[in-house]
Amino acid sequence: MEGAFSFLDSDNTWIQLGISIGILILFLFFRDIFAKYVFQLLMKVSNKANSQLLSHIFLSFEKPVKWIFIIVGLYIAMGFFPYLEQHNTLFVRLIRSSFMIMIGWGFYNIASASSAVFIKMRDKYTLEVDDILIPFLSRMLRVVIIVITASIVLQVFEYDISGLVAGLGIGGAAIAFAAKDAIGNLFGGFVIITEKPFTIGDWIMTPSVEGTVEDISFRSTKVRTFAQAIVTLPNGTIANEPITNWSRMGKRQITFNLSISHETPRHKLQRIVDRIHTTLVNNDDIHPETIFVTFDEIKDNSYDLFLYFFTNTTNWGEFLKIKENINFQILDILEQEGVIIALESTRVYVDSDKLLTDQKENNDQLMLGKDS
């Protein structure tokens, strides 16, 4: 009889184990159906509704919901599993904390894609939110979600959070001292965001680096130099340096001196000044507000013209092209007027009579020396 009951118990155990595994496989099957049909249907609905926010929510919770299917299946399967109680305290806490982690994971994904949400809200409600602030807020939101999720999980396991907070308070001074550079960089990031000396995409120059700003995080700012290298500067450093933001220029300056040969007659000099000025005024690439072309100086070796004007563009490549075109036009004017550019040179004037007298005296001295 005992052998029969033992056989029946063993057989029942295998049946319960099979049911448990079958339930788990069934929920895995439901997860695949959800991913293949339900989720695709939800995405089609959000696309037809033209709701970017709904699309972000669905995409953010796609993987967490798949794992929730497994967690639910695991919990139900444990009701038939012969070797573990479904209401085991540790098991129940693990299931609850897993749910919290999955929900936190979904919100974390929403926060990581929240830049698009912030941009949509800014455009819709015309909020004054800078492009630097959007990724900064996104990162802060992700940190808050992690902290909240971790605190809920600790509460599920009945950990005394107040004791943890008190412990952090006691060690706060030591942590602050050890992390003073990190805190300085964090405050430097806040200074950059609030004062807005530059934003992402700006061309800046500091004593440390010159290039285009690619990213601004809690700790550092990344700048791509013109040699295509990435320079990572601590925010505390860059916030305390003088910053030149070339992207904020409304126009770009060109100024130089043009040296004309002394052989140039006055009327030609005047005509060259007038023609260069007219050329700049009629050039659409030159800012019309400030254009100076003047006969500036009479030097030992040349007549100097002074040119001072601005281009409408601030783009470095376009600026160089405009400057080149202006130089060619000036050369054309000089060639048409038959005027040459003066070169740096030194003239030596010799008194020929004095040179002959000195040479004769030298020869007489040499003859006297030979006679003696």
Side-chain angles (χ1 to χ4, degrees):
M1 291 293 293
E2 289 181 3
F5 281 118
S6 176
F7 176 77
L8 290 173
D9 289 342
S10 175
D11 192 37
N12 189 44
T13 299
W14 280 106
I15 291 172
Q16 288 179 331
L17 186 61
I19 293 172
S20 178
I21 295 173
I23 290 171
L24 192 58
I25 292 173
L26 185 64
F27 272 88
L28 287 172
F29 178 70
F30 284 155
R31 185 189 72 163
D32 292 337
I33 290 177
F34 168 81
K36 190 173 182 180
Y37 298 106
V38 179
F39 181 75
Q40 289 183 1
L41 178 63
L42 291 173
M43 288 301 298
K44 286 180 180 178
V45 170
S46 64
N47 290 333
K48 285 183 178 179
N50 198 20
S51 175
Q52 191 177 11
L53 180 60
L54 277 176
S55 299
H56 279 308
I57 293 173
F58 291 149
L59 288 171
S60 299
F61 276 93
E62 179 186 7
K63 290 184 179 179
V65 169
K66 287 181 180 179
W67 278 98
I68 286 175
F69 272 102
I70 296 175
I71 296 168
V72 172
L74 185 63
Y75 179 74
I76 296 174
M78 284 302 105
F80 298 90
F81 195 69
Y83 303 111
L84 182 66
E85 286 290 332
Q86 187 185 36
H87 301 293
N88 179 277
T89 304
L90 178 61
F91 177 71
V92 172
R93 287 176 179 175
L94 286 172
I95 292 295
R96 288 178 180 174
S97 61
S98 297
F99 267 107
M100 293 300 104
I101 290 172
M102 292 304 107
I103 294 171
W105 184 12
F107 282 110
Y108 181 88
N109 290 338
I110 290 176
S112 64
S114 62
S115 294
V117 177
F118 282 134
I119 292 170
K120 188 175 181 64
M121 290 176 61
R122 180 189 64 183
D123 296 339
K124 185 175 182 179
Y125 300 104
T126 62
L127 299 175
E128 293 295 329
V129 181
D130 193 83
D131 288 339
I132 300 176
L133 191 58
I134 290 173
F136 205 80
L137 289 175
S138 178
R139 292 187 182 98
M140 286 186 65
L141 186 58
R142 292 169 71 180
V143 170
V144 170
I145 290 169
I146 292 172
V147 171
I148 292 174
T149 304
S151 64
I152 292 174
V153 171
L154 290 175
Q155 286 180 343
V156 168
F157 284 94
E158 297 182 355
Y159 188 86
D160 188 7
I161 299 178
S162 60
L164 176 63
V165 173
L168 291 175
I170 294 171
I175 294 173
F177 181 77
K180 60 180 182 179
D181 290 338
I183 293 172
N185 293 329
L186 180 62
F187 277 103
F190 277 115
V191 169
I192 291 171
I193 288 174
T194 53
E195 293 189 1
K196 299 179 183 179
F198 55 81
T199 187
I200 295 172
D202 280 359
W203 167 23
I204 65 168
M205 182 177 69
T206 75
S208 302
V209 69
E210 180 178 6
T212 304
V213 179
E214 286 210 343
D215 186 41
I216 301 169
S217 64
F218 282 109
R219 193 194 74 83
S220 61
T221 296
K222 292 182 179 179
V223 179
R224 185 176 293 277
T225 66
F226 297 124
Q228 295 302 304
I230 289 288
V231 179
T232 303
L233 285 174
N235 287 334
T237 299
I238 198 168
N240 291 319
E241 291 183 337
I243 301 168
T244 302
N245 191 331
W246 295 113
S247 296
R248 300 278 176 91
M249 293 187 301
K251 52 189 179 181
R252 192 172 181 88
Q253 174 186 302
I254 298 178
T255 180
F256 59 93
N257 288 316
L258 181 64
S259 298
I260 304 297
S261 171
H262 271 163
E263 281 73 25
T264 306
R266 182 188 181 284
H267 68 279
K268 278 195 175 184
L269 193 61
Q270 181 65 58
R271 192 159 57 242
I272 290 169
V273 170
D274 294 339
R275 289 189 64 181
I276 293 175
H277 186 272
T278 302
T279 300
L280 296 176
V281 169
N282 294 329
N283 193 323
D284 293 335
D285 294 322
I286 303 302
H287 198 283
E289 189 175 292
T290 307
I291 299 175
F292 293 111
V293 182
T294 62
F295 178 19
D296 187 48
E297 281 188 275
I298 301 175
K299 291 187 175 180
D300 293 339
N301 304 312
S302 64
Y303 298 139
D304 271 16
L305 308 184
F306 175 69
L307 287 81
Y308 183 88
F309 54 98
F310 294 85
T311 61
N312 288 320
T313 183
T314 59
N315 180 275
W316 179 246
E318 294 175 4
F319 166 80
L320 291 177
K321 190 65 179 176
I322 292 170
K323 189 176 179 180
E324 179 186 61
N325 291 335
I326 294 297
N327 288 339
F328 279 129
Q329 289 175 10
I330 291 173
L331 286 178
D332 288 341
I333 292 171
L334 295 179
E335 288 177 5
Q336 291 167 12
E337 296 293 338
V339 172
I340 60 173
I341 296 174
L343 302 176
E344 289 291 334
S345 60
T346 302
R347 295 188 179 187
V348 179
Y349 296 93
V350 179
D351 187 342
S352 58
D353 294 335
K354 187 174 184 304
L355 181 62
L356 290 172
T357 302
D358 291 341
Q359 187 175 4
K360 183 179 179 183
E361 290 179 353
N362 289 334
N363 290 335
D364 291 342
Q365 289 178 359
L366 287 173
M367 293 298 295
L368 289 173
K370 286 182 181 180
D371 292 340
S372 62

